[in-house]
Each structure stands twice: as structure tokens, then as C-alpha cells.
Amino acid sequence: MLKKIEQEQPSLLSNKILDEVDTPEESIDLLNTSRREQVHVEDAGVSAPRRAEEASRTGPHDPEPPENIRTHRTRYDPLRKARAEQDSKRRHEEEAERQRIQAQEERERKLRMRKKERFQVSMKLAQRTERGQPVMKNVIEHLLSKIQKSP
């Protein structure tokens, strides 16, 4: 009878047991025995050797479940797919922005190099002799470099 009541409504059994006892120690003992009976009721379909094997594996002093076993179902998140898409889109945009900045820095670096080269060439071509004639060595180097650059 107690097992049937306990299966249907465990809190009613606890109240009924507490009403039947006189001292708090007796109530604790009764509650502990009813909990033991509840455990045995749950294991009713398992054979005794298997129960002993499981008890030896986990040990009677180890009531906590292993950490790798989930104790509850994860909630359904209706926005999970949308969040994943948003995250991937954000990562893609960040990567595109990073590439754009890198390309812009590369262009600016090339422009600075070309400007520096033009400045050096103009300084060489601007050199003059005492009589105001261009220095032929610099002019010939410039013409040679132009010929070598052409396809």
C-alpha cells in the first residue's frame, strides 16, 4: 500500500509517515526506509547480479552522476539558426573589411615608394654642370632604365 501511494504521490506518503510518528528521529528513520524502498521499486526490473555489478562500478558512496552525462534536455532555441547565420555573416564581413584595409595599406605603400623614386629621379635630372648643362651620366641612366622597363 505504501509503495503504491509513494509511486503516485511521494509527498503524501511523507506527510502520512510524519503523522504516524512521535519523535523526529523516528520520522527520519521512516523517511530513510521509505526512500530505500522507493529505490528498490525503481530497480524492480533489474536482476540482482546486474544490480550488484552496477553498484560495484559506481560504488554505494558515489551518488553523483558522471559529469559527461547530461542530466536535462537542452531547451529548443528557435533563433539558433538565425544567430548562427548572423555570426557567420558577421565573420565574413569582418574578414572582408580586414582584406580591404590590408589592400588599401598595400596601395598606399606602393604609392609612397613610387613617389620616393620619382623624387630621386627628378633630383638626378635636375643636377646641372657649372655652365647649366644637364649631367649626362644621370640622363643616360634615366634613358637606359626607361628602355629596360618597356616590353
Side-chain angles (χ1 to χ4, degrees), residues 4-37:
K4 186 176 180 183
I5 293 172
E6 188 171 87
Q7 287 175 352
E8 294 174 0
Q9 295 176 342
S11 62
L12 287 178
L13 178 64
S14 302
N15 292 339
K16 191 175 266 189
I17 290 172
L18 292 175
D19 291 339
E20 295 174 359
V21 296
D22 298 329
T23 64
E25 292 81 32
E26 290 177 354
S27 64
I28 292 172
D29 290 336
L30 282 173
L31 283 173
N32 286 339
T33 56
S34 67
R35 287 188 183 130
R36 272 190 242 121
E37 288 174 3

Side-chain angles (χ1 to χ4, degrees), residues 79-117:
L79 302 176
R80 185 184 68 178
K81 186 176 180 181
R83 285 187 185 125
E85 288 175 3
Q86 183 182 13
D87 287 344
S88 67
K89 184 179 178 181
R90 182 182 43 81
R91 277 189 238 112
H92 180 70
E93 288 174 355
E94 287 175 355
E95 181 65 26
E97 180 70 16
R98 195 175 312 120
Q99 288 177 355
R100 186 185 64 77
I101 291 171
Q102 187 177 11
Q104 183 179 0
E105 289 173 353
E106 181 69 21
R107 270 187 262 118
E108 289 174 356
R109 186 184 64 78
K110 285 182 180 180
L111 285 174
R112 282 193 303 271
M113 293 293 290
R114 285 183 58 208
K115 188 174 183 179
K116 185 177 179 181
E117 287 175 13

Side-chain angles (χ1 to χ4, degrees), residues 121-134:
V121 169
S122 67
M123 289 301 290
K124 282 186 177 183
L125 292 178
Q127 289 181 348
R128 302 292 170 177
T129 62
E130 293 174 1
R131 296 191 176 204
Q133 300 297 315

